[in-house]
């Protein structure tokens, strides 16, 4: 190996050889390769912020991923025998790979994201940022991306580099090609060890680029785009009929007691990250874990649900969001946001509320804007504002690795929230209560003593629950102080489990069970997450025991806002309807009802907690019926989403969302919100408050509040699969 490297060095790279080597075909190839790799690394570092590498394995991957792919592709030209054809071909391949790099650099400057094939194909027509396509931002170092190719060309034309007559030869060409392949395979293996399921989950493009490189990412994306395209191409408008028939059959009538109860009110949806129902009313060492949430849960203005289940698949948070915004399921594999979000037709909450009742909309979240492909999806859902990690100071201790800490997220959102036109529909995606549930000591309540369960996840979970609870209290206090409270419906829900099944044996004793008698049904029971709908002024709140899930939230909220849902394609049923079926379908085809649960092929009696090994013929029939109903709901959803059938359907008075309309850049957003608030007709809190900010109404005890902006951030645009092997 050493002598091989020495040999290459002596013959090719040693400065004394430069002149000569450029005159041989293989020498020229190696120089083109080296410069292409250097340019890629330059872009990674200078333009892509080192892809937020966070450990040695990632640094290694970032450094080797350009080598394998570039070598494989460039070495194909070595098989060409004809002289001019070879030189022409290698420079064209070099230019194409450089172009791929360069358009990503330019795109990244504008969107902080990598270009999907869809975007590339539509780039001339898709004017994503609300700016003229082609409004390119140059930087002086851009010259470096093209200089090598220009210099090679000049030197070739001026015959300073002589075109070598001697072909490299098939065998040598094959050797170069094989070395390239070997490096690529090695790269893939290291990537897979460090981050399994990278390709199937596709949670973040940056992750794919970091682990595999731009070329392989683009090829994989092209393959996916092609596959999705094929499925979609085969779709016919008639296929919608089956979906429509299903929706019509399963429509659960409006319950007049609740219809329009919150009509015209602002809506604040708070996504409680990884927060389970098991935490509600939970007492640990004599202290409630979430005293504030408990008070809301039991409040007379709250309609709470204690048999509400999460129904997410691999898309986790993004699946939960998809269900709440569209009342359809995520996909059987991967995340719908990531896989289909670039060109999916949505008829989602923000668009419906805007068009039916004039709602403005925004999402607040302290992680990077591209995670789960949100920047693309939100546009297509019609979200007017996407206030993501890039808007906030997330440096130093202000963030965990998932983003801005919740207390700061709520507090720092106020300058934007107060400028939104009312009524508004906003969503807060919290993150502090995300696995591995570690927060700084300074954020922990010294009076709260957690469990000693044997699992640090379980013990830490209550601690971050408690932090989230405090953050919510502060936010509610602000809502009251600023006057927003009275006119705002606050919806809080947990997106999915925090404690995975492998940790549940540590949870068992806390719940009065033992590791030995813990069953699959116990795990299923833990999939309950809270849903609380808090409507200030409403006095008849209660805890509703109906069985339901995330798919049902959208029609429930629409009806509370006095918006009938009959015309829409939504697969859930209003949780407050008296006509609803209480079959809750999980993404993996399991299901649960108030009586039975089918889990991995075994049916359980929900009330007694026992397995049903010998069902009666009647039970047998019932289970089959429930199973086929469950399958049908999933199949209708998958059909609808995978074939993008909504593009064939326009509900009455619905205007299709035009994603080109939305500009999520911070400068444009700040200007837009300011202009709107300054207009005479403005209904924002800011203008109602005599054009004074209400930020001073916000009291938080977040210890990081006044920390100076630092130079480092903990926020890692990493995958959410850190725990996925556990369940
Ligand atoms: C990421 C956050 C977490 O931005 O929403 O997502 P999850 O890991 O829960 O899917
Ligand atoms: Mn989540």
């Amino acid at each position: 190996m050493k002598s091989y490297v020495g040999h290459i060095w002596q013959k090719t790279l040693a400065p004394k050889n430069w002149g000569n080597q450029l005159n041989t075909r293989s020498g020229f190839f190696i120089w083109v390769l080296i410069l292409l790799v250097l340019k890629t690394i330059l872009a990674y570092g200078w333009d892509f912020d080192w892809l937020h590498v966070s450990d040695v394995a990632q640094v290694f991957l970032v450094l080797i991923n350009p080598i394998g792919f570039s070598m494989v592709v460039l070495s194909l030209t070595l098989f060409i025998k004809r002289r001019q054809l070879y030189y022409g071909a290698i420079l064209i391949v070099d230019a194409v790979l450089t172009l791929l790099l360069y358009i990503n650099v330019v795109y990244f400057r504008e969107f902080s994201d990598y270009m999907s094939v869809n975007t590339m194909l539509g780039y001339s027509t898709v004017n994503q940022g609300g700016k003229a396509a082609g409004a390119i931002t140059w930087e002086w170092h851009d010259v470096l991306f093209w200089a090598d190719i220009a210099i090679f060309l000049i030197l070739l034309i001026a015959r300073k580099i002589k075109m070598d007559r001697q072909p490299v030869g098939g065998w040598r060409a094959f050797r170069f090609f094989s070395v390239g392949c070997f490096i690529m395979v090695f790269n893939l293996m290291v990537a897979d060890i460090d981050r399994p399921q990278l390709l199937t989950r596709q949670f973040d493009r940056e992750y794919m680029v970091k682990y595999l490189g731009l070329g392989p990412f683009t090829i994989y994306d092209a393959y996916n785009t092609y596959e999705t395209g094929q499925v979609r191409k085969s779709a016919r408008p008639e296929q919608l009929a089956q979906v429509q028939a299903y929706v019509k059959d399963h429509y659960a009538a409006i319950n007049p007691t609740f219809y329009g109860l919150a009509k015209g009110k602002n809506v604040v949806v708070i996504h409680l990250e990884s927060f389970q129902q098991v935490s509600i009313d939970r007492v640990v060492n004599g202290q409630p874990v979430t005293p504030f949430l408990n008070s809301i849960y039991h409040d007379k203005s709250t309609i709470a649900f204690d048999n509400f289940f999460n129904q997410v698949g691999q898309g986790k948070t993004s699946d939960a969001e998809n269900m709440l915004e569209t009342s359809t399921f995520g996909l059987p594999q991967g995340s719908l946001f990531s896989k289909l979000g670039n060109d999916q037709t949505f008829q989602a909450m923000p668009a419906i509320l805007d068009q039916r009742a004039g709602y403005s909309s925004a999402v607040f979240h302290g992680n990077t804007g591209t995670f789960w492909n949100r920047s693309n999806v939100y546009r297509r859902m019609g979200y007017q504002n996407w206030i993501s990690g890039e808007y906030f100071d997330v440096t130093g201790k202000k963030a965990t690795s998932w983003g801005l800490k919740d207390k700061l997220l709520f507090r720092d959102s106020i300058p934007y929230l107060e400028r939104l036109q009312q009524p508004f529909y906003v969503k807060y995606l919290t993150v502090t209560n995300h696995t591995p549930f570690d927060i700084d000591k300074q954020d922990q309540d010294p009076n709260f003593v957690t469990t000693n369960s044997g699992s640090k996840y379980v013990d830490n979970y209550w601690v971050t629950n408690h932090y989230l609870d405090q953050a919510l209290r502060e936010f509610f206090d602000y809502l009251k102080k600023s006057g927003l409270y009275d006119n705002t419906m606050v919806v809080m829900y947990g997106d999915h489990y925090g404690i995975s099944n492998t940790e549940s044996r540590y949870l068992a004793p806390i719940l009065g069970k033992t590791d030995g008698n813990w069953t699959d049904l116990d795990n299923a029971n833990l999939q309950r997450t809270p849903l609380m709908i808090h409507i200030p002024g409403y006095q008849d709140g209660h805890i509703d025991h109906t069985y339901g899930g995330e798919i049902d939230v959208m029609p429930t909220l629409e009806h509370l806002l006095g918006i009938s849902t009959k015309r829409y394609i939504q697969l859930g049923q209003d949780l407050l309807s008296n006509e609803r079926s209480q079959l809750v379908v999980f993404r993996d085809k399991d299901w649960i009802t108030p009586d039975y649960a089918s889990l991995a092929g075994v049916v359980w009696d929900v009330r007694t907690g026992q397995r049903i090994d010998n069902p009666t013929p009647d039970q047998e029939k019932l289970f089959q019926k429930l199973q086929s109903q469950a399958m049908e709901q999933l199949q209708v959803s998958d059909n609808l989403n995978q074939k993008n059938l909504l593009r064939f359907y326009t509900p009455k008075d619905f205007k299709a969302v035009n994603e080109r309309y939305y500009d999520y850049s911070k400068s444009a957003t700040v200007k837009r919100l300011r202009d709107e608030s300054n207009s005479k007709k403005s209904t924002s809190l800011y203008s109602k408050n005599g054009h004074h900010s209400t930020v001073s109404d916000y009291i938080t005890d977040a210890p990081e509040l006044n920390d100076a902006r630092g130079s480092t951030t903990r926020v890692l645009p990493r995958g959410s699969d850190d725990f996925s092997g556990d369940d």
Side-chain angles (χ1 to χ4, degrees), residues 273 315-317 365 367 371-372 374 402 431 434 495-496 720:
E273 179 56 46
K316 304 284 287 291
T317 289
H365 183 45
N367 197 358
F371 200 94
W372 287 131
R374 287 181 174 114
W402 291 98
V431 287
H434 193 291
D495 61 340
H496 50 73
S720 56

Side-chain angles (χ1 to χ4, degrees), residues 68-362:
F69 179 73
S70 310
M71 194 159 178
V72 167
V73 182
L74 284 172
S75 69
L76 292 175
T77 62
L78 292 174
F79 291 94
I80 298 173
K81 290 209 169 66
R82 283 186 44 202
R83 192 168 58 136
Q84 272 147 342
L85 201 61
Y86 163 73
Y87 284 94
I90 192 167
L91 286 183
I92 288 174
V93 172
D94 189 13
V96 169
L97 295 181
T98 303
L99 186 67
L100 175 68
L101 181 65
Y102 189 61
I103 55 174
N104 274 286
V105 165
V106 171
Y107 187 78
F108 194 89
R109 278 181 199 145
E110 186 63 34
F111 302 109
S112 303
D113 197 1
Y114 302 90
M115 233 180 162
S116 68
V117 171
N118 252 320
T119 320
M120 265 177 227
L121 296 176
Y123 198 50
S124 52
T125 48
V126 178
N127 166 10
Q128 285 207 31
K131 287 190 189 152
I136 288 176
T137 21
W138 298 93
E139 284 188 25
W140 71 265
H141 76 266
D142 291 4
V143 176
L144 296 176
F145 292 116
W146 299 102
D148 61 331
I149 301 181
I151 292 170
F152 281 139
L153 258 177
I154 293 168
L155 292 179
L156 280 167
I157 292 168
R159 294 176 196 263
K160 293 281 177 212
I161 295 178
K162 297 198 183 64
M163 292 200 213
D164 187 1
R165 284 177 193 287
Q166 187 66 35
V168 172
W171 176 236
R172 268 191 86 200
F174 182 72
R175 272 188 7 216
F176 279 117
F177 176 76
S178 307
V179 173
C181 288
F182 176 79
I183 298 174
M184 265 188 84
V185 170
F186 180 67
N187 179 167
L188 269 173
M189 274 164 43
V190 178
D192 195 63
I193 293 167
D194 200 59
R195 187 63 69 212
Q197 291 185 308
L198 183 68
L199 292 182
T200 44
R201 290 170 54 91
Q202 306 167 46
F203 34 80
D204 193 40
R205 278 191 267 275
E206 175 158 87
Y207 233 68
M208 307 262 292
V209 174
K210 175 158 53 181
Y211 275 71
L212 308 176
L214 263 181
F217 154 71
T218 309
I219 291 172
Y220 185 72
D221 190 54
Y223 164 74
N224 253 318
T225 311
Y226 172 78
E227 251 202 332
T228 313
Q230 288 308 99
V231 175
R232 293 184 171 203
K233 232 170 53 214
S234 69
R236 296 282 164 269
E238 304 84 78
Q239 291 166 331
L240 193 73
Q242 185 216 358
V243 178
Q244 279 173 305
Y246 178 89
V247 171
K248 197 161 172 245
D249 269 9
H250 293 78
Y251 175 79
I254 282 167
N255 183 340
T257 317
F258 301 99
Y259 190 72
L261 207 64
K263 197 176 169 117
K265 280 192 191 291
N266 297 317
V267 181
V268 175
V269 176
I270 307 177
H271 172 112
L272 308 173
E273 179 56 46
S274 306
F275 192 73
Q276 299 175 211
Q277 179 70 17
V278 76
S279 297
I280 296 290
D281 287 342
R282 172 94 9 233
V283 173
V284 159
N285 290 324
Q287 270 179 303
V289 177
T290 57
F292 177 69
L293 276 168
N294 299 349
S295 74
I296 294 289
Y297 182 69
H298 296 287
D299 195 275
K300 58 183 183 318
S301 298
T302 301
I303 305 169
F305 297 87
D306 61 354
N307 289 309
F308 177 79
F309 290 81
N310 87 81
Q311 297 169 292
V312 305
Q314 288 179 328
K316 304 284 287 291
T317 289
S318 66
D319 280 359
E321 287 189 63
N322 180 62
M323 285 185 274
L324 265 87
E325 305 285 12
T326 71
S327 192
T328 68
F329 283 93
L331 296 176
Q333 271 105 36
S335 150
L336 184 145
F337 271 32
S338 307
K339 273 186 149 165
L340 306 179
N342 293 343
D343 65 349
Q344 188 79 345
T345 302
F346 294 107
Q347 289 161 5
M349 274 298 253
I352 290 175
L353 294 191
D354 172 20
Q355 297 185 22
R356 294 284 291 276
Y359 276 72
S360 67
S361 54

Side-chain angles (χ1 to χ4, degrees), residues 17 178 237 279 317 359 400 443 469 512 559 695:
N17 295 323
S178 307
S279 297
T317 289
Y359 276 72
T400 70
D443 297 306
D469 189 67
H559 289 169
V695 174

Side-chain angles (χ1 to χ4, degrees), residues 520-531:
D520 277 358
L521 182 63
D522 290 315
N523 281 331
N525 280 328
L526 277 183
Q527 300 312 309
R528 285 179 175 81
T529 55
L531 172 66

